[in-house]
Amino acid sequence: MSTHPPSRYGITRDELAEALADQPRYRLDQVWDGWYGQLRPTSDLTTLPKALRSRLDDLLPTALAPVTRSVSDDGDTTKFLWRLHDGATVETVLMLYPDRATVCVSTQAGCAMACGFCATGQAGFERHLHVGEIVEQVIVAAQLAAVATTPRRVSNIVFMGMGEPLANYDNTWSAVERLNGDVGISARHLTVSTVGIVPGIRRLALEALPVNLAVSLHAANDDLRNELVPINRRYPLAVLAEACRDYLAVKNRRLSFEWAMIDGVNDRDSDAAELAAYARALRAHVNLIPLNPTPGYPTVGSSPQRVRAFRDRLVDAGVNATIRANRGTEIDAACGQLSTRHGDALSASPVVLAPTRPVSLTD
Ligand code: SAH
């Protein structure tokens, strides 16, 4: 989108080459490797002349101004709240595991999909994120993971933060290519999650990189899904299954379904039977997530016993199903809890950071 000011991780390598046309040719590699290979800010690239560093900093500032950082799970989950150049705010979650780190990135400020049980959906849509705003979320999270007590490399990216990735297709896909090609994250460790935007899934199938596809299903009959995930009225389950089938046929990747378990709504035996039939036909893996609480949705998550019984039913019916551990629930960083409308009222007294640079970069 042309209205975005240039930013460090938004510029393409070719555009940077142009901006460095007056420099020796090896400078391009030094800058690019410094930003992406070594994850260093421009000011730390001491192989560059000082004047060039400050020129690059002026020309290509970072896109994310830190607002707060909240930590939970004994330091293993960090939620970042960022302010963008126009005042929009988004969140990113870093999850550390013993041997790896996963970053959950946002692709939009807000979301237009209006799923009632999701905090981002409740808040409504603000705007698409630009590629630089998406990529920078990973870079900053990776910088933090690298200095953890046990340093980790970011190995997995899930496009499961705020927004609907396939409704911001071009920027999401540019970010995927940048994360794969320049940050070095393999396609099978990149997962794009969607509410089921069928034309987006069909476009994904045409791309060269075989990323994982996750579909937020939550219901396997159209009546209930129309209610829970309103986009189902446009792309009903049969059409969605067809697009998933075609994706699998060309990509040979695992398809997964996300299913937030809502007490008395989609956790009944009949729901398990419908889901089992739908998932089995696509050999999909099912991730069960007990519904996380959000301010605008009265219903609660299923009990742990119910979640386990539901999982057992799926497994008995021949479906691969796992219960997903909830990360970051107490800092509202868990699935469906990302909403910056209540950014000032985070429950876990976040670290408040002073912005490191002026909020407005539109000069
Ligand atoms: N819009 C995309 C990307 C967001 S992923 C998508 O929907 O797939 C966020 C995941 O959290 C989705 O699977 C979403 O359905 C799920 N989710 C939303 N609200 C939730 C809640 N309150 N509890 C648990 N999961 C939730």
Side-chain angles (χ1 to χ4, degrees), residues 1 27 101 193 211 265:
M1 251 182 274
R27 292 277 181 241
S193 182
V211 299
V265 173

Side-chain angles (χ1 to χ4, degrees), residues 97-172:
Y97 299 92
D99 54 343
R100 66 192 166 91
T102 296
V103 184
C104 176
V105 295
S106 295
T107 54
Q108 299 179 316
C111 185
M113 297 299 117
C115 305
F117 55 89
C118 174
T120 312
Q122 289 158 17
F125 178 69
E126 200 168 348
R127 72 162 169 88
H128 294 309
L129 298 195
H130 186 253
V131 54
E133 294 167 330
I134 301 172
V135 170
E136 195 174 321
Q137 295 174 58
V138 175
I139 302 281
V140 183
Q143 288 165 340
L144 185 66
V147 299
T149 322
T150 311
R152 266 70 143 218
R153 256 176 49 88
V154 166
S155 51
N156 295 63
I157 312 290
V158 294
F159 288 78
M160 294 186 179
M162 296 170 70
E164 168 51 43
L166 299 186
N168 182 16
Y169 191 95
D170 292 338
N171 289 314
T172 295

Side-chain angles (χ1 to χ4, degrees), residues 296-312:
Y297 192 69
T299 318
V300 298
S302 311
S303 70
Q305 299 87 298
R306 187 60 210 147
V307 176
R308 282 196 296 272
F310 195 89
R311 190 254 335 258
D312 292 346

Side-chain angles (χ1 to χ4, degrees), residues 104 107 111 113 115 117-119 159-165 192-196 214-218 229 258-261 289-294 297 324 326 334-337:
C104 176
T107 54
C111 185
M113 297 299 117
C115 305
F117 55 89
C118 174
F159 288 78
M160 294 186 179
M162 296 170 70
E164 168 51 43
V192 172
S193 182
T194 177
V195 284
V215 174
S216 298
L217 201 65
H218 308 307
V229 183
E258 311 299 304
W259 190 281
M261 292 197 57
I289 321 150
L291 184 84
N292 292 310
T294 59
Y297 192 69
R324 220 165 54 189
N326 248 325
C335 302
Q337 292 186 309

Side-chain angles (χ1 to χ4, degrees), residues 68-326:
T68 57
R69 211 163 78 187
S70 336
V71 179
S72 68
D73 301 321
D74 282 335
D76 286 344
T77 302
T78 301
K79 181 171 82 166
F80 303 85
L81 171 63
W82 309 109
R83 181 168 293 111
L84 310 178
H85 69 88
D86 57 354
T89 49
V90 293
E91 293 170 319
T92 307
V93 184
L94 168 68
M95 288 162 282
L96 300 178
Y97 299 92
D99 54 343
R100 66 192 166 91
T102 296
V103 184
C104 176
V105 295
S106 295
T107 54
Q108 299 179 316
C111 185
M113 297 299 117
C115 305
F117 55 89
C118 174
T120 312
Q122 289 158 17
F125 178 69
E126 200 168 348
R127 72 162 169 88
H128 294 309
L129 298 195
H130 186 253
V131 54
E133 294 167 330
I134 301 172
V135 170
E136 195 174 321
Q137 295 174 58
V138 175
I139 302 281
V140 183
Q143 288 165 340
L144 185 66
V147 299
T149 322
T150 311
R152 266 70 143 218
R153 256 176 49 88
V154 166
S155 51
N156 295 63
I157 312 290
V158 294
F159 288 78
M160 294 186 179
M162 296 170 70
E164 168 51 43
L166 299 186
N168 182 16
Y169 191 95
D170 292 338
N171 289 314
T172 295
W173 193 258
S174 299
V176 163
E177 289 184 321
R178 197 74 64 81
L179 293 169
N180 175 255
D182 296 308
V183 182
I185 295 168
S186 76
R188 64 177 199 286
H189 291 156
L190 292 163
T191 301
V192 172
S193 182
T194 177
V195 284
I197 311 250
V198 165
I201 296 172
R202 296 210 170 277
R203 266 182 86 181
L204 271 187
L206 300 173
E207 305 286 0
L209 286 176
V211 299
N212 297 309
L213 179 64
V215 174
S216 298
L217 201 65
H218 308 307
N221 77 68
D222 281 317
D223 285 343
L224 182 57
R225 196 162 194 270
N226 285 345
E227 240 175 79
L228 294 177
V229 183
I231 198 75
N232 192 69
R233 293 178 202 141
R234 182 138 17 125
Y235 308 115
L237 285 161
V239 175
L240 177 60
E242 207 48 51
C244 291
R245 193 185 323 278
D246 292 349
Y247 187 80
L248 296 176
V250 293
K251 293 296 178 214
N252 196 24
R253 277 274 91 101
R254 188 173 82 169
L255 171 69
S256 51
F257 289 140
E258 311 299 304
W259 190 281
M261 292 197 57
I262 313 172
D263 185 39
V265 173
N266 67 353
D267 67 351
R268 300 157 300 180
D269 291 352
S270 58
D271 298 301
E274 288 164 359
L275 169 57
Y278 195 82
R280 221 173 25 225
L282 293 163
R283 288 211 215 101
H285 182 103
V286 173
N287 280 315
L288 301 172
I289 321 150
L291 184 84
N292 292 310
T294 59
Y297 192 69
T299 318
V300 298
S302 311
S303 70
Q305 299 87 298
R306 187 60 210 147
V307 176
R308 282 196 296 272
F310 195 89
R311 190 254 335 258
D312 292 346
R313 281 190 166 264
L314 294 176
V315 171
D316 287 348
V319 175
N320 221 323
T322 47
I323 300 171
R324 220 165 54 189
N326 248 325

